[in-house]
Amino acid sequence: MAEQLRGLRSGDFMIGFAHTADVGDGVVAEPIWQDPLVIAVPARHALLVHKEVPLHELGGHPLVLCNPHACEGYCRELGRLLQAVEHKLNVVEKVSSLDMMLTLVGAGYGVGFMTATKIPVSQRPDVVIRPLAMDSAVITTYLLRSDNSNLSASLERFIDRLRDSSVG
């Protein structure tokens, strides 16, 4: 993300995407999409008694989270959500890809998080996906652009299409 922000500020990049609006001066972050957050659970796990998993139920369970260097904004937003868990988080691994998270979850190392839009590309027989029992468990994708950039007409049309397809 730091490289993306440098590129936007220097003019090397015209637009970018991030999972956080915390981008500092010189860059505008506009919310484009909101994706519900879901959890990935091993196929045989105590949390599967819930159709929607309450956040407080995650306390004490081993967690496989994303590596903040690989997905900085997503990790920041997930961290804010997990602050509501009363127990100390038991993070057993930090991974740099969705595939690695699903592999570790499927092997029983812990439970992980992903957005609902990733469900179709990540179905596995050893992992069950459950929604969280809270409407505010969403990850927002932001369109990033320099606050002083003059965008081409084609890029403006692209951004307009993104806005038209947005859920909020």
Side-chain angles (χ1 to χ4, degrees), residues 63-84:
L63 301 176
V64 179
L65 300 181
C66 58
N67 183 322
H69 298 294
C71 41
E72 183 180 345
Y74 176 83
C75 289
R76 241 187 255 172
E77 296 305 306
L78 183 59
R80 286 184 187 146
L81 178 73
L82 292 177
Q83 285 176 346

Side-chain angles (χ1 to χ4, degrees), residues 20-168:
T20 182
D22 186 13
V23 293
D25 295 334
V27 175
V28 175
E30 176 182 345
I32 294 293
W33 300 289
Q34 285 195 322
D35 297 321
L37 197 61
V38 296
I39 64 167
V41 182
R44 299 175 194 264
H45 196 278
L47 288 173
L48 292 176
V49 301
H50 303 282
K51 292 289 183 203
E52 294 184 341
V53 179
L55 195 60
H56 70 271
E57 290 289 333
L58 296 177
H61 287 282
L63 301 176
V64 179
L65 300 181
C66 58
N67 183 322
H69 298 294
C71 41
E72 183 180 345
Y74 176 83
C75 289
R76 241 187 255 172
E77 296 305 306
L78 183 59
R80 286 184 187 146
L81 178 73
L82 292 177
Q83 285 176 346
V85 176
E86 294 129 18
H87 304 288
K88 184 177 186 314
L89 297 178
N90 179 14
V91 179
V92 293
E93 191 64 52
K94 292 185 178 180
V95 296
S96 59
S97 73
L98 177 62
D99 286 338
M100 180 55 76
M101 182 274 289
L102 292 169
T103 298
L104 292 177
V105 168
Y109 279 83
V111 298
F113 294 87
M114 59 191 253
T115 57
T117 55
K118 301 269 197 283
I119 293 172
V121 296
S122 57
Q123 294 186 359
R124 301 169 48 118
D126 54 351
V127 175
V128 177
I129 306 300
R130 287 283 196 263
L132 288 168
M134 60 187 303
D135 293 337
S136 62
V138 296
I139 296 292
T140 302
T141 300
Y142 296 88
L143 171 71
L144 307 179
R145 59 186 166 76
S146 171
D147 64 1
N148 62 4
S149 63
N150 294 320
L151 303 177
S152 67
S154 60
L155 196 50
E156 285 283 2
R157 285 192 303 274
F158 174 72
I159 292 171
D160 286 341
R161 283 195 296 268
L162 289 174
R163 289 179 182 130
D164 291 344
S165 70
S166 71
V167 294

